[in-house]
Amino acid sequence: MTANFFKNLKTYSATALFVILTACASSPRHVGPADGVKVGDGSSLKNMVPASQLEQSATKQYNSMKQKASQKNALAPENHPQVIRLRAIAKKILPHAYAWNPDSQAWKWEINLFVSDEVNAFCMPGGKIAFYTGILEKLKLNDDEVATVMGHEIAHALREHARDRIAKAQIGNLGANVLSSALGLGNVGSQALGQGLQILGLSFSRADEKDADLVGMDIAARAGYDPRAGVSLWQKMGQLSQDKDKQPEWLSTHPSGDSRIYEIQRNMMDALILYARAKNTTIDRLPNYKP
């Protein structure tokens, strides 16, 4: 009887996994505002990971990062010109982010600047944004380019790519132990978070990066930032990464600049319509973009 039980359980687990993966497969349905850039619904696997727990874990890690930076005098003060600049840009962008994820309106958004030569920026689940001085200074970013980076990182959080990556990683481990997988399937996200998962260590897929590029371009354009800055940004990134020994860590998890520029240009018209509307003009009257 015991042997039959485990045999049936194994069959049940395989069937259940197939049903879950089928039900959670990506849908072509468009989400977000009716106008602007078009992206798919994405995977529903993220629903296996508790959003509240992930956001709590992200907040804890973000606060720890701030505390350590402060102890080393590496957390820029509130009156730092670049902090003021970043928060002003975020203030314009965020109202246009909520349509992509209604829950994000209740997030405790926060943006800080860390003093580091590293070319990096991120937005953790729950709206915890960080920029490093390296990305601002080494690339000499103008406001449109800063908004492009910020929109991209915010889009990762809005689209809950971290939840999705955690869920997929745990799904991949289901076959390791049929019994525990079958009994603990609904708690895979809690298990990962309970083990002290380092959210900043997650790497996103190329599909995630493309998604974040397009959604980020959309919300930045609605806020009045020129989407053509995406092209100049990745050209600057390309120049910086020519020396492989000095390639920024931020680029190591991102697709090549050429492919990014191609996708940005392919969707540029939709974003330019939003940008022109934000500027109370029409596309044909927009001035040429100057990086």
Side-chain angles (χ1 to χ4, degrees):
M1 181 175 179
T2 303
N4 288 335
F5 170 78
F6 280 102
K7 181 179 180 181
N8 292 336
L9 181 59
K10 185 175 182 180
T11 301
Y12 167 79
S13 298
T15 303
L17 179 57
F18 174 78
V19 171
I20 290 170
L21 292 176
T22 302
C24 295
S26 297
S27 166
R29 181 175 66 88
H30 170 65
V31 295
D35 57 352
V37 173
K38 301 295 187 293
V39 296
D41 196 9
S43 169
S44 295
L45 284 174
K46 61 178 178 283
N47 294 328
M48 299 176 66
V49 178
S52 59
Q53 281 188 263
L54 181 60
E55 290 162 16
Q56 289 171 11
S57 180
T59 298
K60 184 177 180 180
Q61 291 180 34
Y62 187 78
N63 288 340
S64 175
M65 183 179 174
K66 284 197 305 176
Q67 183 179 17
K68 291 177 181 177
S70 181
Q71 292 171 350
K72 298 177 181 178
N73 293 320
L75 182 66
E78 301 276 327
N79 61 352
H80 191 290
Q82 291 285 27
V83 173
I84 295 172
R85 177 193 184 200
L86 289 170
R87 291 179 178 175
I89 293 172
K91 187 176 181 180
K92 291 178 65 177
I93 286 178
L94 289 179
H96 303 282
Y98 307 142
W100 288 97
N101 184 336
D103 291 341
S104 67
Q105 195 161 3
W107 290 352
K108 297 185 184 301
W109 290 90
E110 189 174 349
I111 183 164
N112 285 284
L113 177 65
F114 294 84
V115 181
S116 169
D117 287 338
E118 188 177 340
V119 177
N120 200 9
F122 62 81
C123 179
M124 300 178 81
K128 305 303 182 184
I129 305 169
F131 268 72
Y132 291 16
T133 52
I135 196 169
L136 299 175
E137 296 170 357
K138 290 185 178 181
L139 297 182
K140 295 180 172 56
L141 300 182
N142 61 34
D143 284 0
D144 293 312
E145 291 165 339
V146 169
T148 298
V149 174
M150 189 180 295
H152 172 93
E153 299 304 334
I154 286 174
H156 276 308
L158 294 173
R159 301 284 282 168
E160 300 183 290
H161 291 153
R163 282 181 75 193
D164 187 56
R165 297 303 291 172
I166 293 169
K168 287 177 179 176
Q170 293 300 309
I171 284 288
N173 294 330
L174 282 178
N177 189 317
V178 175
L179 180 59
S180 62
S181 296
L183 298 180
L185 188 59
N187 198 37
V188 292
S190 298
Q191 292 171 1
L193 296 174
Q195 293 167 0
L197 175 73
Q198 291 300 307
I199 297 170
L200 284 181
L202 291 174
S203 60
F204 299 120
S205 68
R206 286 181 176 270
D208 290 340
E209 294 297 346
K210 175 184 174 182
D211 189 79
D213 277 346
L214 298 184
V215 173
M217 181 168 67
D218 181 284
I219 60 178
R222 291 177 191 275
Y225 292 103
D226 199 322
R228 292 171 291 187
V231 175
S232 63
L233 169 67
W234 286 106
Q235 288 173 339
K236 288 182 178 181
M237 285 288 191
Q239 293 172 359
L240 190 65
S241 64
Q242 285 179 354
D243 185 345
K244 293 185 178 180
D245 293 332
K246 296 181 179 179
Q247 186 180 62
E249 183 179 349
W250 194 67
L251 286 179
S252 66
T253 57
H254 289 63
S256 69
D258 289 343
S259 65
R260 309 294 281 270
I261 290 173
Y262 170 77
E263 289 296 338
I264 289 170
Q265 290 177 328
R266 198 163 70 91
N267 291 272
M268 184 62 70
M269 187 57 65
D270 288 335
L272 281 175
I273 291 173
L274 302 176
Y275 173 59
R277 187 171 68 196
K279 293 295 185 180
N280 294 314
T281 187
T282 56
I283 291 179
D284 59 300
R285 293 184 177 181
L286 287 172
N288 292 330
Y289 177 71
K290 296 180 180 180

